Amino acid sequence: LAVGLLSAGQSALAQLDVPSLVINEIHYDESDKTVTAEFIEIHNPTEAAISLEGWEISGGVDFLFPSAASIESGAYLIIAQDPATIASKFSRSGALGPWSGRLRNSGETVNLRDPDGAVVSQVDYRLGFPWPTVGDPVAGESPSIQLINPTLETDLGGSWRSGQPTPGVRNVVYSTEAPPQTRQVSHSPQQPGYNEPVVITALVTDPDGVASVSLSYQPVRPGAYFGR
């Protein structure tokens, strides 16, 4: 196997300024399908409280925030499939809901819209790389997808990690340093022949730029698939 190229793109604007509100965590794949414990969490990273009158969540699920709803500076607000389940399972009161619609395990779009209908935060999660894996319980709990840092782009899979659900508090995966984003990975030809060069390309971006990229690979004999 020969590796011909790994391309590294740079983006000085890959990281956003502090947004008004951000979708911060999504728990969409509860392993126990009899438990209605799915939720969406939004976070207010600004220095002021924000009224949620006229705001809504759209996409896979729909939810219009009640007129009296607001979110304090630095706070986390839960929108739940079933608020009573969130209270009993996670000991978190104050969840809003229920919503209409469903969050598909295979992938879904979740939009947070302001009163003018503008999309303030969007997550278009999918099944498979570069999105984190959830579903199988870890330490008895089904993981959620969680934003590493609220300043990262929410529509990029590399901005997210899976972890034990943390509704209403800071994500367990929170970090002030995020690795470069890797996506649009492909190789050519799709089915290389013996001793045929293989060109691997990927888009790799980081707010600080990308100086170089290295590739690690493992040859696998036909039929000798390796497990997890």
Side-chain angles (χ1 to χ4, degrees):
L1 175 65
V3 179
L5 171 67
L6 184 65
S7 65
Q10 296 186 11
S11 174
L13 298 178
Q15 194 168 23
L16 305 175
D17 294 330
V18 175
S20 59
L21 293 178
V22 62
I23 299 171
N24 191 59
E25 181 176 1
I26 303 178
H27 184 39
Y28 65 83
D29 191 359
E30 173 62 44
S31 60
D32 186 346
K33 305 309 178 186
T34 66
V35 178
T36 52
E38 295 182 356
F39 66 84
I40 298 167
E41 179 191 81
I42 63 173
H43 173 50
N44 178 5
T46 74
E47 297 180 355
I50 296 177
S51 170
L52 293 172
E53 182 175 3
W55 288 67
E56 66 176 327
I57 291 176
S58 66
V61 300
D62 293 290
F63 179 77
L64 180 64
F65 288 87
S67 58
S70 64
I71 181 169
E72 297 298 318
S73 170
Y76 304 85
L77 181 63
I78 310 162
I79 301 88
Q81 179 184 20
D82 179 25
T85 300
I86 299 301
S88 61
K89 182 178 177 63
F90 299 106
S91 300
R92 297 293 177 188
S93 60
L96 302 179
W99 61 50
S100 61
R102 60 189 292 261
L103 296 175
R104 295 180 301 170
N105 296 346
S106 58
E108 196 58 82
T109 300
V110 181
N111 302 302
L112 177 63
R113 298 180 180 272
D114 67 15
D116 295 325
V119 176
V120 173
S121 183
Q122 182 182 75
V123 181
D124 188 23
Y125 70 84
R126 289 293 176 261
L127 182 64
F129 179 84
W131 291 89
T133 300
V134 300
D136 295 334
V138 177
E141 188 63 67
S142 303
S144 63
I145 60 170
Q146 306 175 19
L147 201 59
I148 300 173
N149 189 286
T151 62
L152 294 175
E153 293 183 82
T154 57
D155 61 347
L156 295 180
S159 299
W160 299 78
R161 295 292 184 271
S162 61
Q164 183 176 6
T166 55
V169 297
R170 193 170 76 174
N171 293 340
V172 69
V173 303
Y174 174 86
S175 176
T176 57
E177 296 184 3
Q181 298 271 3
T182 302
R183 57 200 183 276
Q184 300 178 23
V185 179
S186 64
H187 69 273
S188 179
Q190 289 295 309
Q191 295 181 326
Y194 178 72
N195 262 355
E196 185 176 6
V198 177
V199 177
I200 298 176
T201 60
L203 175 62
V204 184
T205 60
D206 189 89
D208 299 321
V210 179
S212 64
V213 177
S214 60
L215 172 70
S216 298
Y217 64 94
Q218 177 180 349
V220 180
R221 295 178 63 86
Y225 304 111
F226 55 91
R228 297 171 59 183

